Structures are given as structure tokens and as C-alpha cells.
Amino acid sequence: MKRFIQLISLCLLAMSSQAQNKADILVSYDANHPNKRGKQVTSKMSLLASSSESKYFNELSLWVDSLKSTPEGKANYMEILKKSCMTVEPDGSTTWNLSKGPVKRVFTYVFTNLNERMLTLYDQYGEDYGYYTESLAEQQWTMVGDSAATILGYECLKAECDYHGRHWTAWFTPEISVPFGPWKLHGLPGLILKAEADGSFSFQATGLEKTSRLMTPMYMINDYAKVDRKKALESAEYFQNNEESIMNAQGQNVKIYSIDENGNKVAPPRYDGLKHCIEPDYKMK
């Protein structure tokens, strides 16, 4: 554990040396979305923001990517995984349980720049990593009068927006004049502390603090190819529903299945962008 903490400290120092701009605030969010089994999944996300730019990410993913961005860091990360996830069996074979270790499970990064009037999103689509840019003009909010809420001690106002196939309701606080929020949400005269869409997707701020933390650029940026947003989302859905056949076509011998409540092997649930994707407009043709 001591070595693990030391490695985190070294990583943070390395991250600081690459940074260009400082943030003014750090906001923590619970990001909720439905999975293919109909259950809600919560991811812990962070937002670093100043008056002109923001960076939305998962802290563990940032730490993993920062380590893996150098040969030395990648070797250290593999040692951490071995110690926490690998078991040597009596016969000398090894088994891995990645649920025990610091494994990256959230791939989304969003960089929003007010001066450039642009945001850039990095993510994983099936087996591939991709990024795209988007104009900030794509979100047009309408204020909802006589609607207010108190979140984390801040008085918030309500606004609504139709965006990429979902109807969003957001609560923002004019007390913090930062025009950003979780994920790609932005453009209101204050920090967005809560947002929800269609009863399935939501972001809830759980903490807020001042910071001088540096907003580091994207690690391993050369691993990402520029993609068309809708085509990438469509490809990701196809991969999720055809992963077994795709892997077998690549020469692997796999069988993918789920276990039902009676312990029986059943076909895995299917992914449907209209239900499971935060931006389902690629299905709306």
C-alpha cells in the first residue's frame, strides 16, 4: 500500500509538469446510466474548471493513463496489477481477478474551451479509441421560471435543452460563474450541479472545492483517431451485440454468455442505443 501511495504521488508530480492551465474549482459528480441488464450504474467523475475551460474525467482512469504514458510508469502499473490481481495456483498456473485492482473502466474525457467555442471528447468505441470535436453552439437552453433548488448549499435555477436525442433538465448556480458542467453539458450562466434526461441518465454533484490543480492535456493522444460521432456510436453498438463473432473472426476461440438467476447460461442482453446510449440520435434516422 505504501508503494502504491508513493506511485500516485509520483504520477501527480509528472502530471503537473505537463500542465498548461490551472483550474479554479474541482467538482465531484455521480454519473448514472442504465446498463444492458436494466440496472443503474454509477461512475465517480470529476470536473476541473476555470472561467474559460474545463476537463471532465474519472480520477482512476486519469491515474492509469498517466502511468501507462511512459515505459517506466507502465512497468510500475503492471507490477501493481500483479500484486493485487494475480494468484499463483498450487499447480503453478496463474489466475487473474481484475476486480481486485485499479483497472480503468471509464474511458470518457471531455475538454471544453470557451475561447475556442469547441469541445473535444475522447472515448472508446468497441475495440477502438476515438475523438471528435463539437461546436458549443449545439446546446441551446431555455430557462424554466419559478423553479429553484438548493444543491450543496448553493441556490440553483432550472433550465431545459434538447440535445442529441434526449431532453435534458439542468440545475445551475449563478453563484459560481463557471459556464460548464458534467460531461458535455455547458452554456448556462453558472456551474451545472445537477442534470437528468428521460428518467435514465443523470449527473449529481457530490462535492465542490477550490483548487489550483493543473488541467493536464490528454495522455497517449496518438492512440486516438478522429471519428464521426454518430458513426462511432453506431459501431460501438454493433460491437457490443456481435463481440463473440468479431473475436472469433480474428482467430480467437471464445464463447460469451450471461448467467441467469437460476445459474443457467443464457445469451447476453442486447445493447439498444435508444435505451442505453446517452446520445441516441444516431438511431433516429
Side-chain angles (χ1 to χ4, degrees):
M1 178 59 72
K2 184 177 181 181
R3 178 171 173 75
F4 182 73
I5 294 173
Q6 289 173 339
L7 285 170
I8 291 179
S9 299
L10 289 173
C11 255
L12 291 175
L13 288 173
M15 289 160 56
S16 297
S17 67
Q18 299 178 36
Q20 297 178 349
N21 298 314
K22 290 183 178 180
D24 297 320
I25 58 170
L26 170 63
V27 192
S28 302
Y29 292 94
D30 279 350
N32 303 292
H33 65 90
N35 65 13
K36 292 188 292 184
R37 293 172 176 80
K39 296 182 179 180
Q40 284 288 309
V41 176
T42 300
S43 299
K44 300 293 182 181
M45 304 299 293
S46 297
L47 178 76
L48 288 169
S50 67
S51 60
S52 61
E53 63 180 318
S54 68
K55 175 182 178 179
Y56 177 77
F57 59 98
N58 173 267
E59 295 280 6
L60 175 60
S61 297
L62 180 66
W63 175 77
V64 170
D65 286 345
S66 66
L67 269 183
K68 293 175 68 176
S69 66
T70 66
E72 297 81 6
K74 189 173 183 178
N76 286 332
Y77 177 63
M78 289 307 300
E79 285 300 314
I80 293 171
L81 285 185
K82 286 181 181 179
K83 290 179 180 179
S84 57
C85 303
M86 189 180 77
T87 301
V88 179
E89 304 296 343
D91 63 0
S93 63
T94 60
T95 59
W96 289 75
N97 184 350
L98 295 180
S99 65
K100 295 182 178 180
V103 177
K104 176 180 175 180
R105 294 181 175 84
V106 179
F107 294 85
T108 303
Y109 290 86
V110 183
F111 294 81
T112 306
N113 192 299
L114 197 62
N115 295 327
E116 297 176 0
R117 302 300 301 164
M118 195 77 66
L119 66 80
T120 305
L121 181 142
Y122 298 84
D123 212 333
Q124 182 182 37
Y125 302 96
E127 298 178 291
D128 302 318
Y129 295 100
Y131 78 94
Y132 61 84
T133 59
E134 181 179 309
S135 169
L136 299 190
E138 290 195 26
Q139 285 181 27
Q140 299 294 325
W141 295 92
T142 300
M143 297 296 299
V144 179
D146 300 325
S147 295
T150 301
I151 303 172
L152 297 180
Y154 294 93
E155 184 175 348
C156 295
L157 302 177
K158 186 177 180 181
E160 295 182 344
C161 175
D162 289 315
Y163 178 65
H164 291 179
R166 297 205 182 276
H167 182 76
W168 285 94
T169 302
W171 287 262
F172 68 96
T173 176
E175 296 180 49
I176 304 176
S177 56
V178 171
F180 304 115
W183 183 52
K184 298 198 294 181
L185 302 179
H186 64 270
L188 287 166
L191 177 67
I192 299 172
L193 293 177
K194 180 180 178 181
E196 56 189 20
D198 303 332
S200 298
F201 296 84
S202 68
F203 301 96
Q204 176 70 53
T206 58
L208 193 159
E209 60 185 85
K210 292 182 179 180
T211 186
S212 57
R213 185 168 161 181
L214 296 162
M215 287 189 275
T216 54
M218 191 67 190
Y219 288 105
M220 299 179 291
I221 194 168
N222 291 332
D223 291 348
Y224 295 80
K226 190 167 186 179
V227 297
D228 176 272
R229 180 182 64 85
K230 289 186 178 181
K231 290 181 180 178
L233 292 173
E234 188 173 16
S235 296
E237 176 172 334
Y238 179 84
F239 178 83
Q240 288 214 42
N241 291 329
N242 298 276
E243 185 174 3
E244 180 182 302
S245 60
I246 292 172
M247 295 176 70
N248 288 330
Q250 295 170 346
Q252 304 181 54
N253 184 18
V254 299
K255 180 66 177 177
I256 299 175
Y257 56 83
S258 294
I259 303 295
D260 65 15
E261 61 274 11
N262 298 317
N264 300 314
K265 296 180 181 180
V266 296
R270 292 189 63 80
Y271 182 93
D272 180 356
L274 293 176
K275 297 178 181 178
H276 306 124
C277 185
I278 195 169
E279 298 176 282
D281 57 332
Y282 72 96
K283 305 264 301 185
M284 301 172 180
K285 299 177 180 179

